[in-house]
Amino acid sequence: MENEEENRERKVTTRFKPNEFKVLDTRFKKTRFLKMSEYIRCVLLERPITVNYRDKSMDEMLEELALLRKELNAIGNNLNQAVRQINSAHGNADNRLWLNLLSIIGSKVDPAIGQIKERMQNFSEIWSQKLKPGEASAVQ
């Protein structure tokens, strides 16, 4: 192994065509390296390179989870508006206001929560298909 404290004194300059550099840059971005020079040095010296693989199906799930978060925020806003209406009655909340709140919950919140549960069930099925039985216990 070389001495890590030793300074690098030699410099090599290499020119690439635009498409060659694009390939090199694409490969570099898939690794853990922060500097291109580190990556090139490891390639040239045949050292091990850790490549980060990206699961594109996770992108779709993350987008869907972001949508679910927005939907949950909308549900919370609807509930807050209904409670404000009841509180604006200054302690004189009658049965009509409570029934109004329950109708809002029944008409808007329950179907949205049902959709969220369905989507989450779909995610769990996708995740369980990706994990083999032995891998599932290792993840926990």
Side-chain angles (χ1 to χ4, degrees), residues 10-74:
R10 302 288 185 165
K11 180 179 180 180
V12 176
T13 303
T14 306
R15 295 184 185 273
F16 295 99
K17 294 178 183 176
N19 60 342
E20 292 172 332
F21 184 79
K22 186 176 180 181
V23 169
L24 181 67
D25 191 48
T26 301
R27 290 180 183 171
F28 163 68
K29 288 179 180 177
K30 292 180 181 177
T31 67
R32 62 168 180 81
F33 295 104
L34 300 177
K35 296 181 180 179
M36 177 77 78
S37 60
E38 292 175 319
Y39 170 69
I40 292 172
R41 202 173 297 115
C42 283
V43 170
L44 291 174
L45 298 175
E46 297 179 343
R47 293 184 185 150
I49 297 173
T50 304
V51 177
N52 299 323
Y53 291 98
R54 188 167 174 186
D55 187 357
K56 298 221 182 226
S57 66
M58 290 301 289
D59 290 346
E60 294 170 5
M61 284 191 211
L62 290 174
E63 288 177 26
E64 185 70 24
L65 287 173
L67 291 173
L68 290 174
R69 181 177 46 197
K70 286 176 75 175
E71 194 167 335
L72 284 173
N73 285 337

Side-chain angles (χ1 to χ4, degrees), residues 69-117:
R69 181 177 46 197
K70 286 176 75 175
E71 194 167 335
L72 284 173
N73 285 337
I75 290 169
N77 289 338
N78 287 338
L79 282 174
N80 284 339
Q81 289 172 1
V83 171
R84 279 191 199 121
Q85 285 179 355
I86 291 173
N87 286 338
S88 69
H90 301 292
N92 297 328
D94 60 4
N95 289 337
R96 282 184 302 125
L97 292 174
W98 288 107
L99 290 174
N100 186 21
L101 176 61
L102 291 175
S103 71
I104 289 172
I105 291 172
S107 66
K108 294 184 178 180
V109 176
D110 286 342
I113 290 174
Q115 288 176 349
I116 291 171
K117 286 180 181 179

